[in-house]
Amino acid sequence: MTFWHLLFIFIYIQVHLSAVNHFPSAYGQAAEDVNVTFEDQQKINKFARNTNRMSELKDEIEAKKKSLQNLEDASDDLMMCEDDALLIPYQIGDVFISHSQEETQEMLEAAKEALQDEIKALEGRVSSIQGLLGDLKVQLYAKFGNNINLEADES
């Protein structure tokens, strides 16, 4: 969530609580007066930061999965190569270096294992952030009830 999302949530809470208290008949009943404390705002900010971070991590995971798929495709194509004496260009940074088919296959396998480890680490971070977000949701919904919306927009 951006600064503007946070500001919107804060303003929404304040306006909604004010409207419910001033016009109870329009909302069915008067809501209890809930003040947004500094600690509450810190929790909302923490929720927004972690939601953004989780979104970034999920995008990074998707990019790494695409790279992993490309490495697997390259490995499959390399296995179909019939000429064992053919030198295969392998990109390292901005440079292509020619290696034998066997060396290239080993390098591809090492790169795939490294990417799989990175993906697992990122997924672990996403999982821990999801746990933290779950705890924050419980705390914030317990205080604000339906006056706060912490669900992600699907747009």
Side-chain angles (χ1 to χ4, degrees), residues 90-104:
Y90 188 88
Q91 185 177 8
I92 300 176
D94 293 334
V95 179
F96 285 91
I97 300 175
S98 295
H99 293 282
S100 69
Q101 183 176 352
E102 184 178 317
E103 289 173 329
T104 304

Side-chain angles (χ1 to χ4, degrees), residues 44-56:
I44 292 168
N45 292 345
K46 187 175 185 179
F47 184 87
R49 281 192 312 273
N50 281 293
T51 299
N52 274 346
R53 184 64 186 138
M54 188 172 68
S55 176
E56 291 168 359

Side-chain angles (χ1 to χ4, degrees), residues 19 27 32 35 48 55 61 63 69 73 82 96 101 111 113 134 136 145 153:
Y27 290 91
E32 59 187 69
N35 292 323
S55 176
I61 288 170
Q69 183 61 47
D73 292 344
E82 295 177 8
F96 285 91
Q101 183 176 352
E113 287 177 17
L136 287 171
D153 291 338

Side-chain angles (χ1 to χ4, degrees), residues 65-79:
K65 284 183 177 181
K66 286 181 183 177
S67 295
L68 181 61
Q69 183 61 47
N70 289 341
L71 288 175
E72 289 173 351
D73 292 344
S75 181
D76 292 344
D77 290 345
L78 188 59
M79 284 185 203

Side-chain angles (χ1 to χ4, degrees), residues 6-120:
L6 292 173
L7 185 61
F8 175 76
I9 290 171
F10 181 73
I11 292 170
Y12 174 79
I13 291 170
Q14 294 297 325
V15 169
H16 188 71
L17 288 175
S18 175
V20 169
N21 288 331
H22 288 95
F23 306 107
S25 61
Y27 290 91
Q29 61 188 27
E32 59 187 69
D33 189 19
V34 180
N35 292 323
V36 179
T37 64
F38 178 74
E39 290 80 21
D40 296 332
Q41 190 60 49
Q42 292 299 96
K43 288 177 185 178
I44 292 168
N45 292 345
K46 187 175 185 179
F47 184 87
R49 281 192 312 273
N50 281 293
T51 299
N52 274 346
R53 184 64 186 138
M54 188 172 68
S55 176
E56 291 168 359
L57 288 173
K58 285 181 177 181
D59 291 343
E60 192 174 340
I61 288 170
E62 287 306 310
K64 290 194 182 292
K65 284 183 177 181
K66 286 181 183 177
S67 295
L68 181 61
Q69 183 61 47
N70 289 341
L71 288 175
E72 289 173 351
D73 292 344
S75 181
D76 292 344
D77 290 345
L78 188 59
M79 284 185 203
M80 290 185 215
C81 185
E82 295 177 8
D83 188 6
D84 291 338
L86 183 66
L87 292 178
I88 310 294
Y90 188 88
Q91 185 177 8
I92 300 176
D94 293 334
V95 179
F96 285 91
I97 300 175
S98 295
H99 293 282
S100 69
Q101 183 176 352
E102 184 178 317
E103 289 173 329
T104 304
Q105 189 68 34
E106 290 171 3
M107 293 173 78
L108 285 172
E109 291 302 319
K112 286 193 307 189
E113 287 177 17
L115 265 178
Q116 288 169 340
D117 291 343
E118 290 176 24
I119 290 170
K120 284 181 184 177

Side-chain angles (χ1 to χ4, degrees), residues 1 9 47 51 137 141 148-154:
M1 290 186 178
I9 290 171
F47 184 87
T51 299
K137 273 186 182 182
Y141 278 131
I148 189 169
N149 180 13
L150 300 173
E151 301 306 317
D153 291 338
E154 298 299 325

Side-chain angles (χ1 to χ4, degrees), residues 135-151:
D135 292 343
L136 287 171
K137 273 186 182 182
V138 167
Q139 294 170 18
L140 291 169
Y141 278 131
K143 178 155 186 183
F144 298 108
N146 292 334
N147 297 324
I148 189 169
N149 180 13
L150 300 173
E151 301 306 317

